[in-house]
Amino acid sequence: MSIPIIPRASPLPPDVSTAPRLIGTTTAFLFLALLVFSARILSRVRPVPNLGWDDHTMTVAVVFALISWSFVVASIPYGAGRHMYYLSQASNSGGGLMVFAGQTPWLWANTLVKISVAFTFLRIKQTTTWRWFLYEAIAAQIASAIGATVTIFTQCKPLQALWDTTIPGSQCL
């Protein structure tokens, strides 16, 4: 059974950009995350360095989060925050490329944060059952992220069809 497409009865919303809210919100949360991360690392290196796998994993996660955020910022000149009806095809494609480019770093940033938490739990409790459970959780996170990454890169043929809808003969799942 298919759902019928109902024509839009009301006019489109006004051509207003929500980019300032997008940048403001993402930057505020990134700044807060960087403060917490900095406090965490500072507490682990002073007075005696005691960095572990959890800290190294979190550091890589922060790098990926910064990369992803930079793609959000880079999408603003292409019209991110505006209704796509008001944008040119070139702007839609450019913005779509920026969004696509930021997906994988964001996915891996989230995955690595979860893995870092599991490594932190491994520091706290050392029972065999707990260790096996956490190692399995880490493996499941890695497998899930790999699967999602493969899906991101294989959902359209050619890949450019993800951000450029004008490519003739493209197929997306």
Side-chain angles (χ1 to χ4, degrees):
M1 178 175 191
S2 65
I3 299 172
I5 298 174
I6 301 171
R8 187 178 180 96
S10 61
L12 286 170
D15 187 10
V16 177
S17 177
T18 59
R21 286 190 290 178
L22 173 67
I23 292 299
T25 304
T26 57
T27 303
F29 278 111
L30 181 65
F31 181 74
L32 180 63
L34 290 173
L35 280 177
V36 172
F37 170 73
S38 298
R40 171 190 178 144
I41 296 300
L42 186 62
S43 72
R44 296 284 174 91
V45 296
R46 295 183 70 189
V48 178
N50 188 24
L51 294 173
W53 280 103
D54 53 344
D55 302 308
H56 299 301
T57 307
M58 187 62 73
T59 302
V60 176
V62 166
V63 170
F64 279 136
L66 286 167
I67 292 168
S68 180
W69 176 80
S70 69
F71 283 115
V72 170
V73 172
S75 71
I76 299 300
Y78 293 101
R82 292 177 59 204
H83 196 286
M84 67 184 294
Y85 175 81
Y86 297 108
L87 301 175
S88 68
Q89 179 58 41
S91 289
N92 277 326
S93 295
L97 176 59
M98 294 299 112
V99 169
F100 169 76
Q103 283 179 346
T104 304
W106 183 248
L107 167 71
W108 282 97
N110 283 304
T111 299
L112 291 171
V113 165
K114 295 170 191 174
I115 291 171
S116 177
V117 170
F119 281 141
T120 300
F121 287 154
L122 283 168
R123 275 187 180 213
I124 296 169
K125 193 170 180 179
Q126 296 291 322
T127 64
T128 304
T129 306
W130 186 245
R131 292 177 67 81
W132 276 104
F133 171 75
L134 290 173
Y135 284 131
E136 288 175 5
I138 290 169
Q141 285 297 318
I142 292 170
S144 177
I146 289 171
T149 302
V150 168
T151 301
I152 288 170
F153 284 96
T154 60
Q155 61 185 323
C156 284
K157 292 185 185 197
L159 182 62
Q160 293 83 0
L162 280 168
W163 59 86
D164 186 359
T165 57
T166 63
I167 296 176
S170 60
Q171 295 179 347
C172 294
L173 302 175

